[in-house]
Amino acid sequence: MSIDPVKMVNADTLEKVVLTRRVSDFLHRSEDQEQRIVIENVARALAQDVATKVREALAFELRTCPFVPHDLAAKIATDVESVAGPFLASTTVFSDSQLAGLIPHLEEHAHVTIARRKDLGEAACEALVTFGSEKSISYLVRNETAPLNESVLSNVVKRFPDRQNLMDMLGARPGLPLAIVNQIIDKVSDKFRCLLEGQYELSSDVSDSLMRSAASKTIWTMIENASETQIHAYVGDLRAQRRLTTDLMLDMSEKGSIAFLESALAYKSGLTLAAAKDMLHSGDSSLFVALMRKADISKADAHTFLGLLKKASSNS
């Protein structure tokens, strides 16, 4: 195959588009290494052409070629969507590790295309979950052939815990590890919660327990290193969402957040935070009892809170 580089540069767009077919045909069948090096360089030049139509034609022609130099393939993959899309949807020139290494440098449209492939490897899936957007990961989660192991699935939950639609997609995947079911049971919609309970034979009591446990972990992560002002605002949000239960107050207190208890008692009693703190820490049993009554706390739970306060005081 003889190509004059000067004539190629000066050729019009249509001629270059036709040339992409000749280049592809040669790369598909030729075993002449010397000629192959020349043609690969021609392909590299075409991949950098200013005319998008030329680059589109080259990418389309090379999408089924089993031997494309890695630098040329990467150049095509990182191009605009109309160029990269058809190539990334079909090419088999990238190994799992090569594709994984390319993913951090690709745009969302490329991530979506890759996420829909039926031949993904574990490394590529892990890279997509690490660097992809919610949109691309939603395609990956719905791809039943994608090998999503427990670590990758857990990363999805950690990145998007408040995206119920994505959590529902995750819940729809067959054969989820029980650890992942535990992580998403409080994040999916009621419909998918029922599906998970049935599929994984969880009783309502167990499901409720898992939900409380998962919610507790999420809340503790939010408040563990937060300031008192931030905790008070967060407790206010929980109160507005009707999620501020006595069990949650006990759990956060047992974990060591007396600030959470103070804010919770203030909201539940209708007192200011300062007033609730004064009554809680006054050392006057009558004020403590009055605060518990205002907050509608049972005697048994009040006794537990008192023990936790004494424990926190002795440790400080």
Side-chain angles (χ1 to χ4, degrees):
M1 180 179 180
S2 178
I3 298 175
D4 186 331
V6 176
K7 287 184 178 180
M8 186 192 76
V9 171
N10 294 327
D12 62 26
T13 298
L14 181 58
E15 289 176 309
K16 291 177 182 177
V17 168
V18 173
L19 180 59
T20 64
R21 170 62 68 86
R22 295 177 61 197
V23 167
S24 175
D25 286 344
F26 181 89
L27 294 179
H28 268 84
R29 57 182 171 75
S30 177
E31 295 181 359
D32 187 320
Q33 291 304 309
E34 187 174 339
Q35 274 195 303
R36 188 175 187 86
I37 290 172
V38 174
I39 301 307
E40 286 177 352
N41 286 333
V42 171
R44 290 185 178 95
L46 291 170
Q48 299 182 67
D49 198 272
V50 294
T52 305
K53 287 185 178 180
V54 173
R55 305 197 312 277
E56 288 173 350
L58 179 69
F60 184 80
E61 294 295 342
L62 294 183
R63 76 193 191 285
T64 58
C65 184
F67 305 108
V68 179
H70 182 72
D71 64 303
L72 174 58
K75 173 66 177 174
I76 296 171
T78 53
D79 209 327
V80 296
E81 184 172 5
S82 61
V83 176
F87 184 74
L88 283 171
S90 302
T91 186
T92 58
V93 298
F94 296 116
S95 67
D96 183 29
S97 60
Q98 286 175 332
L99 190 57
L102 197 60
I103 283 171
H105 309 288
L106 300 180
E107 296 184 15
E108 183 181 64
H109 65 80
H111 288 165
V112 169
T113 299
I114 294 170
R116 299 172 72 174
R117 291 184 60 121
K118 302 303 181 184
D119 59 350
L120 287 174
E122 289 190 356
C125 290
E126 184 174 357
L128 277 172
V129 168
T130 302
F131 298 100
S133 65
E134 180 182 356
K135 179 180 179 181
S136 59
I137 292 174
S138 71
Y139 279 96
L140 181 66
V141 167
R142 284 178 287 176
N143 183 349
E144 292 189 3
T145 65
L148 304 185
N149 59 39
E150 185 175 322
S151 175
V152 169
L153 292 170
S154 184
N155 197 14
V156 175
V157 180
K158 288 177 183 177
R159 287 194 62 196
F160 303 100
D162 58 344
R163 303 296 198 274
Q164 188 178 83
N165 190 45
L166 183 56
M167 294 300 102
D168 283 352
M169 293 176 192
L170 200 57
R173 284 186 66 88
L176 287 175
L178 189 56
I180 300 302
V181 176
N182 293 351
Q183 288 182 42
I184 67 173
I185 195 71
D186 69 320
K187 299 174 177 62
V188 297
S189 63
D190 290 343
K191 172 186 174 181
F192 278 88
R193 180 188 173 190
C194 290
L195 288 174
L196 289 172
E197 288 175 350
Q199 185 175 355
Y200 295 93
E201 299 181 348
L202 301 176
S203 67
S204 294
D205 288 344
V206 171
S207 178
D208 289 342
S209 176
L210 290 174
M211 287 183 66
R212 288 194 298 271
S213 176
S216 175
K217 290 178 182 177
T218 300
I219 292 169
W220 180 249
T221 299
M222 295 287 291
I223 71 168
E224 183 177 9
N225 298 309
S227 66
E228 288 190 7
T229 301
Q230 291 170 325
I231 291 173
H232 192 63
Y234 188 60
V235 172
D237 290 340
L238 292 173
R239 173 71 169 174
Q241 298 164 12
R242 298 183 178 180
R243 296 170 59 195
L244 186 58
T245 64
T246 302
D247 285 343
L248 183 59
M249 293 164 63
L250 286 165
D251 193 23
M252 294 301 107
S253 300
E254 288 171 351
K255 283 180 166 62
S257 181
I258 299 303
F260 187 97
L261 174 61
E262 293 166 348
S263 292
L265 290 171
Y267 279 110
K268 289 178 75 68
S269 66
L271 298 171
T272 65
L273 178 59
K277 289 173 70 173
D278 285 345
M279 294 178 72
L280 187 64
H281 301 291
S282 67
D284 186 329
S285 59
S286 62
L287 289 177
F288 178 83
V289 171
L291 176 61
M292 295 297 118
R293 286 176 178 170
K294 280 182 175 292
D296 196 25
I297 303 297
S298 69
K299 289 183 179 180
D301 289 333
H303 181 74
T304 302
F305 283 131
L306 184 59
L308 290 171
L309 286 170
K310 290 180 178 178
K311 181 180 178 180
S313 177
S314 64
N315 291 336
S316 61

